[in-house]
Amino acid sequence: MMNRLVSFLTIMLIALQVFAGEKQRPEIYVKIKVESRAEIDVLSDLCSIDRVDGQFVYAFALPGEVANLNTNNIRYQEIPLPYSTSRVSMATSISQMDNWNLYPTYSVYQQMLSSLSTNYSDICQLIHIGYSEDGRDIQVLKISDNVNTQEAEPEVYYTSTMHGDETLGWVALLRFAYELCESYNTDIELTDMVNNMEIFINPLANPDGTFYGGNETVNSARRYNTNDIDLNRNFIDPGSNTNGDSNPTAQENQCQMDFANAHNFTLSANFHGGAELVNYPWDTWSTRHVDDTWYQYISRNYATSVQNDSPSGYFTEQNNGITNGYDWYTTDGCRQDWMNYFQQCREVTIEISGTKLLNNTLLPDYYNYNRQAFIDFLKEAQYGIRGVVTDELGNPLEAEIFINLHDNANSAVHSQSDNGDFYRPIAEGIYNVTVSCSGYPDQTFNNVEVLNGSITNLNVTFGVTGITQNIDLDSGWNLVSFNTESTDMNPATVFASVSENLVQVKNLTQSYDPSMPDHFNTLNLLNTDNAYWVNMDEEAIIEIAGFATNVSSNINLQGGWNMVGYKPQIALSPTIALQSIISSIIQVKDLNHSYDPTMPEYFNTLDEMIPGNGYWMNLSNNTSLVYNDSTPVAFSDRESPLWELSVYPNNTATLYIELNNLTPEPNDWVGAFAGEECLGIASPIIYEANIYCTMLVQIPQNGTVIEFKYHDYSGDAISTFENSMPVSSGQLYNIVLNASQSNGGSVPPVQDSISIYPNPFNPYKGICRIDSKDDKVGWEIYNLRGQIVNVLSGTNEWDGYTKNGNIAPNGLYLVRPVEVRSSKTIKLIIMK
């Protein structure tokens, strides 16, 4: 009697479903206990695994799959399908979706997509990519600032609900698309994304599964499509090169593959339900993806973000919210493996709800849990190595960007033929990158540095032939570098035309001597990152034909002295060319000139870095140089005053200047030069209608010609003149600059005279001379970075060392009294 009652109720339930326009799901849900990983791998071929939790596998099984389980003597327990017993509520109009706490009917969903593309047509485009097996539309929203144009921007793709019963992602992505459009030009973060990326969103990838019970409800949503195909087992598997489930490709998947083939997606996420974690590749292989470190990094960032924005316990499955796909359970024919292997797109699978058909009242909460993570994940497409590949005329080229000793299993990326742009997300590190383009020789860029959350630009030009760099070589030692790369950068090839006069080529650790047997030469390859010493027995010129080196590639430098190549094709001031490392520079030198950024720029004698020259760079820390080859901005000219010079027997030079209405500003400077070396600087001071400055200068050698330069605050040289007074090397001279509109004028008293200068009897020590009328306990010595170099207490002499025992480098320093009745700060110079 009881069995008849159950049968009667079952028949009535089926009848009610048919009457309501809903179809009964043919699959069952099973729970299987396993003892080993090998058993999980077997089950993956027999049924559709939903999740693995400890020793238990939960899976869907269609009638044929149930037969497979029975044939293989797999013991299973049939359990209720993983859906809530309460029915979810539907929105039958767009207005009912205002609070996002309902599921839209199929027609409302279609209307919402159309409404976005109509109301925000300047940034949103609706793309029809195909039909489901039952003829429902599969559509994608493209959201970008120039939506009708293919721009040089990373393409990113969000798609959801390829398992039709995992419905949270469908509504969440639809809402995210609305927020991107509605917040454009009001939300800075979202506007920046729309302006700098091409965002594609496919909220519903399996409409037949979601609306299995009819277009008015999702209460009968099921995993499979209408043909009983699990879409996430139906893609071509990298391991077998056939569909993972051996079924013909479903229409839903074919349109996704065609769409991906028409684009060059950098980053993608495929949203699911039934668990709460990020699943990263591979699913089909036990070996890790070559970018496993990066995948773990972005997966952990997603998990941490949603954990911060949700109640405790959300998104904590497996390894606290992340897992390698294969480590969880084996899957063949999944979409993320197909996208990664065949499309070179970085895709992950994100499970955002432990409940598949989530109660509609919880939809807003779960969206808020994931909203910021949606945003942050897409931003990763902008980071890593990116650039544009073109020919010599600027035409875009399709090329392969390969990370040497890193890429495998189709992990290399390609530039797009439309704009030549490429994007290579990758973990923080230093890489050698080879760019290959059909018809051109490969180009390799060494030591390309990548930092997490930042962009490393690498623009590549092919076909730049006929460029020739000429380098003049003097007799003796030359410091040279190359900004043109030949196909053969062996020293024997580069210096072949001058080999009879070449004595030696050296860098810091290697050498090449044409008279030596090859096996004794250790310098076998020249590169554009480095500078080289070249010793010639007479003058000569070498020519290097090839292509221009990539100025935007990184040169990794160490703290201390480096021999560095100059890559730009034009001469530039150090201030402009070395912008990227300006805060780390202690000094830059060529054979005859020097540059110190702590000195006023107009007193640095290395005022121009020239192609062909090499440079010594002394740095305070490890850093990376990326040359800036912008065009320098010239200062405007100003009228020069007249200068007159008188020399007195007491070795004090007094300068009388006709001012021409020039009034000194606080940042005006006077510099004393011996040839190209600045011996000292001082700031002019107005005293009793006169202008004066004092400096202590050590003369390099007998008969040195002293040249003075006056510069105003803008950096323009006002005037220069020479003092040819006979001076002796090793002597200290007090040079007084006195300027007035009359010959003469009183020389001002020295209020505070403080200078640091070399000790002529001990080159490793300096002398600090202080003449002061103020009562002071001590003096603090600062460098221009605001760091205390040393403290002078109760003494007027300094040994030239810093507090940590290092010799203080040349440059400008500031001295400030520790205790003083009237506060003041005084500039000083140290020279060794």
Side-chain angles (χ1 to χ4, degrees):
M1 182 65 182
M2 181 60 71
N3 288 340
R4 292 179 182 177
L5 178 59
V6 171
S7 298
F8 174 76
L9 291 175
T10 301
I11 292 170
M12 289 299 297
L13 179 59
I14 294 173
L16 288 172
Q17 289 175 332
V18 172
F19 180 76
E22 299 178 16
K23 292 189 290 187
Q24 186 180 23
R25 306 181 187 94
E27 65 269 16
I28 64 171
Y29 199 59
V30 297
K31 178 181 179 181
I32 304 169
K33 186 176 182 180
V34 293
E35 301 295 337
S36 67
R37 173 58 195 243
E39 293 182 29
I40 298 176
D41 294 343
V42 170
L43 288 174
S44 183
D45 294 330
L46 299 178
C47 55
S48 183
I49 295 178
D50 183 37
R51 62 190 179 91
V52 176
D53 188 0
Q55 284 189 295
F56 293 98
V57 173
Y58 297 85
F60 289 89
L62 291 161
E65 293 169 327
V66 171
N68 290 336
L69 293 174
N70 291 329
T71 300
N72 286 273
N73 297 316
I74 303 295
R75 298 183 61 183
Y76 62 88
Q77 175 187 0
E78 182 178 352
I79 58 177
L81 288 165
Y83 309 120
S84 171
T85 56
S86 60
R87 294 170 64 84
V88 300
S89 299
M90 308 296 297
T92 57
S93 67
I94 292 182
S95 62
Q96 292 179 358
M97 289 295 296
D98 287 348
N99 295 323
W100 294 97
N101 59 356
L102 297 172
Y103 287 99
T105 63
Y106 179 69
S107 63
V108 170
Y109 169 60
Q110 295 289 91
Q111 293 171 40
M112 295 179 75
L113 295 178
S114 298
S115 175
L116 268 186
S117 63
T118 300
N119 295 334
Y120 301 95
S121 58
D122 54 336
I123 61 169
C124 184
Q125 182 185 75
L126 183 60
I127 305 170
H128 169 81
I129 68 170
Y131 293 100
S132 69
E133 296 283 356
D134 277 348
R136 293 184 174 93
D137 278 321
I138 299 178
Q139 295 176 299
V140 174
L141 292 165
K142 178 186 177 182
I143 302 174
S144 188
D145 57 341
N146 296 304
V147 71
N148 296 309
T149 303
Q150 178 74 31
E151 295 186 278
E153 297 175 345
E155 295 180 285
V156 296
Y157 192 28
Y158 271 173
T159 184
S160 183
T161 315
M162 64 188 308
H163 288 152
D165 56 350
E166 299 166 8
T167 51
L168 169 60
W170 163 45
V171 179
L173 289 190
L174 182 61
R175 181 174 179 181
F176 185 57
Y178 263 77
E179 187 172 359
L180 286 172
C181 293
E182 292 172 345
S183 299
Y184 185 67
N185 281 336
T186 59
D187 184 293
I188 295 176
E189 186 173 37
L190 297 183
T191 301
D192 182 73
M193 291 174 59
V194 174
N195 287 342
N196 293 290
M197 290 190 285
E198 296 189 346
I199 304 169
F200 295 83
I201 298 177
N202 166 228
L204 185 55
N206 181 9
D208 290 355
T210 299
F211 291 101
Y212 187 71
N215 287 343
E216 304 305 313
T217 182
V218 296
N219 281 294
S220 294
R222 67 182 302 221
R223 180 183 186 87
Y224 305 88
N225 75 348
T226 195
N227 288 350
D228 294 341
I229 291 177
D230 184 335
L231 298 182
N232 207 32
R233 306 293 185 273
N234 185 242
F235 282 85
I236 300 173
D237 187 77
S240 64
N241 208 34
T242 60
N243 286 356
D245 59 0
S246 300
N247 289 317
T249 302
Q251 283 187 196
E252 293 88 347
N253 283 354
Q254 188 61 56
C255 70
Q256 293 285 354
M257 290 191 287
D258 292 342
F259 185 63
N261 286 329
H263 292 271
N264 192 10
F265 290 120
T266 298
L267 185 68
S268 178
N270 180 9
F271 290 89
H272 286 249
E276 294 167 1
L277 52 82
V278 180
N279 173 356
Y280 53 90
W282 301 100
D283 282 337
T284 190
W285 284 319
S286 60
T287 55
R288 286 292 198 261
H289 192 284
V290 68
D291 291 321
D292 184 69
T293 300
W294 177 82
Y295 272 113
Q296 292 193 48
Y297 169 75
I298 64 168
S299 299
R300 176 60 61 206
N301 285 349
Y302 191 100
T304 300
S305 177
V306 295
Q307 289 167 3
N308 290 339
D309 293 338
S310 65
S312 176
Y314 177 65
F315 221 87
T316 57
E317 293 188 32
Q318 296 301 306
N319 179 20
N320 194 29
I322 72 172
T323 185
N324 170 262
Y326 185 89
D327 284 355
W328 197 15
Y329 60 88
T330 311
T331 302
D332 296 332
C334 72
R335 208 190 91 148
Q336 80 170 8
D337 281 5
W338 183 83
M339 287 289 282
N340 275 279
Y341 187 82
F342 292 104
Q343 294 297 314
Q344 294 80 51
C345 168
R346 273 56 185 168
E347 176 165 297
V348 298
T349 302
I350 303 180
E351 308 264 0
I352 57 174
S353 168
T355 302
K356 288 179 174 291
L357 185 57
L358 187 70
N359 188 292
N360 56 275
T361 62
L362 298 176
L363 292 173
D365 292 336
Y366 276 75
Y367 176 78
N368 290 330
Y369 301 161
N370 287 272
R371 176 190 175 276
Q372 189 60 46
F374 285 173
I375 296 169
D376 293 341
F377 182 85
L378 289 185
K379 288 180 181 178
E380 291 295 335
Q382 301 185 62
Y383 305 141
I385 305 170
R386 61 185 292 179
V388 177
V389 183
T390 59
D391 64 15
E392 69 275 20
L393 300 177
N395 300 311
L397 294 175
E398 187 172 351
E400 180 186 68
I401 293 81
F402 187 87
I403 311 298
N404 300 335
L405 302 178
H406 179 86
D407 276 328
N408 62 35
N410 280 8
S411 62
V413 301
H414 294 80
S415 59
Q416 298 190 67
S417 58
D418 302 81
N419 296 296
D421 53 319
F422 70 88
Y423 308 90
R424 180 54 163 95
I426 197 167
E428 184 170 285
I430 296 175
Y431 303 94
N432 297 334
V433 182
T434 295
V435 183
S436 304
C437 183
S438 177
Y440 299 97
D442 293 352
Q443 295 189 44
T444 297
F445 303 89
N446 295 320
N447 301 317
V448 177
E449 184 176 16
V450 178
L451 300 176
N452 289 334
S454 66
I455 297 170
T456 298
N457 288 307
L458 183 64
N459 296 321
V460 184
T461 303
F462 283 98
V464 182
T465 57
I467 292 180
T468 301
Q469 180 183 15
N470 296 324
I471 301 178
D472 295 329
L473 301 173
D474 294 328
S475 178
W477 285 103
N478 302 261
L479 185 59
V480 305
S481 69
F482 312 98
N483 62 11
T484 299
E485 293 191 60
S486 172
T487 54
D488 186 355
M489 294 296 286
N490 187 289
T493 304
V494 172
F495 292 94
S497 62
V498 297
S499 59
E500 292 183 0
N501 304 111
L502 178 66
V503 179
Q504 192 179 34
V505 182
K506 297 176 63 176
N507 61 15
L508 288 175
T509 58
Q510 301 167 313
S511 65
Y512 167 77
D513 182 338
S515 66
M516 298 281 285
D518 287 344
H519 55 274
F520 287 122
N521 284 314
T522 55
L523 180 60
N524 299 311
L525 183 66
L526 305 171
N527 65 63
T528 58
D529 287 358
N530 296 335
Y532 299 90
W533 288 110
V534 178
N535 192 5
M536 302 291 295
D537 61 15
E538 68 176 50
E539 294 180 357
I541 299 176
I542 60 170
E543 296 182 353
I544 304 171
F547 55 89
T549 189
N550 181 25
V551 177
S552 62
S553 62
N554 291 23
I555 302 177
N556 294 311
L557 304 174
Q558 304 295 315
W561 285 102
N562 302 259
M563 290 175 64
V564 186
Y566 183 69
K567 291 187 174 185
Q569 299 293 315
I570 59 175
L572 296 166
S573 74
T575 305
I576 293 173
L578 305 177
Q579 280 182 10
S580 64
I581 60 168
I582 202 73
S583 63
S584 301
I585 294 175
I586 297 172
Q587 191 177 39
V588 179
K589 299 178 68 175
D590 63 10
L591 288 177
N592 302 303
H593 310 86
S594 65
Y595 167 78
D596 180 345
T598 65
M599 297 278 283
E601 181 179 352
Y602 30 89
F603 286 130
N604 283 305
T605 55
L606 179 59
D607 55 6
E608 195 173 53
M609 301 182 74
I610 301 172
N613 284 3
Y615 295 92
W616 281 99
M617 296 187 188
N618 190 8
L619 305 174
S620 60
N621 54 275
N622 295 349
T623 187
S624 292
L625 166 62
V626 178
Y627 277 107
N628 172 38
D629 59 353
S630 304
T631 303
V633 179
F635 289 116
S636 60
D637 294 330
R638 288 180 55 180
E639 183 180 4
S640 298
L642 301 177
W643 294 58
E644 295 181 0
L645 172 66
S646 297
V647 180
Y648 291 89
N650 61 357
N651 291 331
T652 298
T654 304
L655 281 60
Y656 298 94
I657 306 170
E658 183 177 339
L659 293 178
N660 281 357
N661 298 319
L662 176 67
T663 302
E665 299 289 342
N667 290 323
D668 285 1
W669 293 93
V670 175
F673 288 79
E676 296 292 342
E677 182 181 0
C678 180
L679 301 178
I681 62 174
S683 181
I685 301 171
I686 298 177
Y687 176 77
E688 295 182 357
N690 297 325
I691 303 171
Y692 75 95
C693 61
T694 63
M695 45 183 145
L696 289 168
V697 178
Q698 183 178 20
I699 305 303
Q701 61 185 9
N702 294 341
T704 298
V705 175
I706 302 297
E707 182 184 43
F708 295 92
K709 296 181 181 180
Y710 188 104
H711 288 257
D712 75 345
Y713 67 95
S714 68
D716 300 324
I718 298 302
S719 184
T720 64
F721 64 92
E722 292 185 354
N723 170 11
S724 57
M725 69 182 193
V727 296
S728 302
S729 63
Q731 297 294 317
L732 295 175
Y733 291 85
N734 184 29
I735 300 174
V736 179
L737 171 67
N738 189 39
S740 70
Q741 296 194 24
S742 61
N743 282 341
S746 60
V747 176
V750 177
Q751 294 291 335
D752 283 305
S753 176
I754 303 172
S755 294
I756 294 177
Y757 50 89
N759 185 334
F761 305 106
N762 187 341
Y764 297 102
K765 291 189 176 184
I767 298 174
C768 179
R769 177 176 175 177
I770 302 174
D771 294 316
S772 175
K773 292 187 176 182
D774 288 334
D775 295 329
K776 302 176 176 66
V777 173
W779 297 81
E780 294 172 331
I781 302 176
Y782 290 80
N783 61 24
L784 290 189
R785 295 187 177 92
Q787 301 165 319
I788 295 180
V789 174
N790 214 326
V791 178
L792 304 179
S793 300
T795 179
N796 65 351
E797 187 167 312
W798 179 36
D799 62 5
Y801 285 84
T802 64
K803 290 195 302 181
N804 60 12
N806 295 325
I807 300 175
N810 293 355
L812 183 65
Y813 290 81
L814 303 176
V815 173
R816 188 175 69 180
V818 178
E819 293 184 10
V820 60
R821 289 197 301 267
S822 60
S823 177
K824 64 165 58 180
T825 300
I826 301 172
K827 303 180 182 70
L828 55 86
I829 300 171
I830 180 171
M831 296 171 294
K832 297 189 182 69

